[in-house]
Amino acid sequence: METILIFIIFLGPLVFFHELGHFFFARLAGVRVEVFSIGFGPKLFTFKKGETQYAVSLIPLGGYVKMFGDDPLSEKKLTAEEEKVAYTKKSKFARFWIVFGGPLANFILAYFIYAALLYNGESVPQIKLGNVTEAHVLYKDGLRTGDVITKINEKEIVSFDDLNLIDTNINSVEVNRSGQTVDFKVSYTQENFLEEFSKLTGVLRAPILVNNKGEFFLAKIADKKIVSLEEILEASEQRIRLYSLKEDVKMEFQANRFSIEGLNYTTLERNQNWEKTFVESGLFPKDMYIKNIVMGSAADKAKLKKGDIITAVAGNKITNFDDLRKSIQDLKEEKPVALEIYNKDGYKTVTVTPTFREHKGKKYLSVGVESGVSFYSFMVQTKSAGVFGSISKAVGRTWNGTVKTLAGFKKLITGEVSINNVGGPIMIGKVASDSFNISLSMFFRLMAIISINLGIINLFPIPVLDGGHIVLLGVEAINRGPLSKKKLMYAQQVGMSLLLLLIFIALFNDISRFF
């Protein structure tokens, strides 16, 4: 119910402003608006003001503005007075702005969301590097796991937007490493740096360990803020504290929102390295803990249970869930493999036979276990950009969001990205809920980019969408007259078929992804 409510709160303003754009230009052109509805289907709530009925309808996946005389296929003869307020009797210039008003309102909404965020300051994830291996080019330049990027080319970097808006070659990088400022001289183009940055896992694990009794512990360096598990493993400290957690934490672990007040702790001393020390103490990273078993899977058939910890594959010790995933994929075929399991009965070996599953058009071997991983993040508050700074920077963000959205659609059309990546209402509801739980800033950032997406999608040259109506206006201008009713009917049928196909693909992907 919480996710559904967040989804309605998220989508409502996007639909409202889109329809408001149509409504505004229709009224400006003197067109009579008969219905202004948020949602489709049966009306839940209505009231009438002037000649317009305002409504909230049952299905919150869109809305519509019903204008008088907007059906070009209608056989009804209009009176002279009715022609003055009929949509189809207005000039092509007026009809263009009525149609374009919806997408335009979405771009304007995105701009004002960005401007408001910039003016008020935002709570955004810290730009902390993920697992930087020795083979990575950034490691060779001196950067390390857990480094927080603070400046590029002497320009302050706070959010990922700051990174994306860099438009020059990158010559210097400043990072914060365990409270110390470290500078590096580098040589990258903006595109190359972002490409190398994106190659990092970018995902740090929360410093949470679990034992064979299903008890969870937070690992923390004394007198320092909570850092990721990767940073703990690389730490040189001889002692750390293990705080006993009363319950499991969510998948998204925000370090600066987590309180250790009132939690009991014990002190653990390092032996050679922290990874070995944890194992000797019967403690393992939480991502190696089985959270759920897929029914009918290899793990289910082998009688693996929720709470089991997978510690080795084919006799080879693993230290994280990615090791498990890679080891299974390296089998290349469906054949038995031995898994070492650690649970309340101690260590034991179980034989499983991974099976092929398909996801997004690709086949992969699967054991059928869900990791109990919790991901680490640290939220930082940005400073207000001021009135004028917010106004100007919001233009850049809106433009950047538009360009990246268009690039994404181009990749879909050219086949560079699989159509299986297209998401529908279920996916939007999920990411909206996730972003809301991270911070309101991230929630409104997502709302802005989806508003841009909505504006662009409605400009697709598909009949029944706003872009299709604009194309038909162009054809009408070239023909110096409206298309025949037969051609308009065919155009609407083709447009509706394409739209239904797109909706079907999005819903199918949602169902495949989440169910």
Side-chain angles (χ1 to χ4, degrees), residues 425-445:
I426 299 175
M427 190 180 85
I428 293 174
K430 174 69 168 57
V431 295
S433 178
D434 291 344
S435 64
F436 183 85
N437 289 325
I438 294 173
S439 73
L440 283 177
S441 298
M442 300 307 294
F443 179 77
F444 284 112
R445 277 169 169 254

Side-chain angles (χ1 to χ4, degrees), residues 35-152:
V35 181
F36 181 103
S37 176
I38 303 301
F40 298 113
K43 296 179 175 63
L44 302 176
F45 169 76
T46 65
F47 71 92
K48 191 165 186 177
K49 185 176 181 181
E51 296 177 312
T52 306
Q53 181 190 59
Y54 299 89
V56 175
S57 300
L58 179 63
I59 306 171
L61 300 179
Y64 62 94
V65 171
K66 176 70 174 67
M67 291 173 279
F68 178 74
D70 64 354
D71 182 5
L73 301 178
S74 175
E75 301 286 347
K76 182 183 176 182
K77 185 74 174 176
L78 301 180
T79 66
E81 286 301 311
E82 288 176 330
E83 287 186 353
K84 292 178 181 179
V85 294
Y87 168 78
T88 51
K89 299 302 179 180
K90 296 298 178 181
S91 69
K92 285 183 281 293
F93 180 78
R95 281 182 283 157
F96 167 82
W97 282 106
I98 293 171
V99 173
F100 184 66
L104 177 63
N106 285 124
F107 292 114
I108 292 173
L109 174 61
Y111 169 80
F112 277 107
I113 289 175
Y114 284 135
L117 288 171
L118 286 161
Y119 180 75
N120 289 300
E122 305 168 82
S123 179
V124 295
Q126 191 178 52
I127 307 179
K128 180 175 286 221
L129 295 180
N131 187 23
V132 186
T133 63
E134 293 185 13
H136 198 283
V137 66
L138 293 181
Y139 185 96
K140 296 171 184 175
D141 280 330
L143 280 77
R144 296 292 182 266
T145 300
D147 283 352
V148 178
I149 297 178
T150 53
K151 286 185 180 179
I152 288 181

Side-chain angles (χ1 to χ4, degrees), residues 192-249:
N192 286 342
F193 183 81
L194 290 180
E195 182 181 350
E196 295 300 333
F197 182 83
S198 66
K199 286 179 183 177
L200 300 173
T201 60
V203 177
L204 296 169
R205 291 173 292 172
I208 300 174
L209 305 170
V210 61
N211 64 16
N212 62 335
K213 298 176 183 177
E215 298 170 330
F216 297 95
F217 302 88
L218 176 100
K220 181 181 179 295
I221 300 171
D223 303 323
K224 290 189 177 181
K225 67 183 182 182
I226 299 172
V227 296
S228 68
L229 179 60
E230 281 74 15
E231 292 168 273
I232 291 280
L233 293 173
E234 294 183 8
S236 58
E237 276 76 9
Q238 289 299 314
R239 298 178 184 83
I240 63 168
R241 292 177 178 177
L242 291 177
Y243 289 83
S244 180
L245 302 180
K246 297 175 182 177
E247 58 184 25
D248 191 8
V249 299

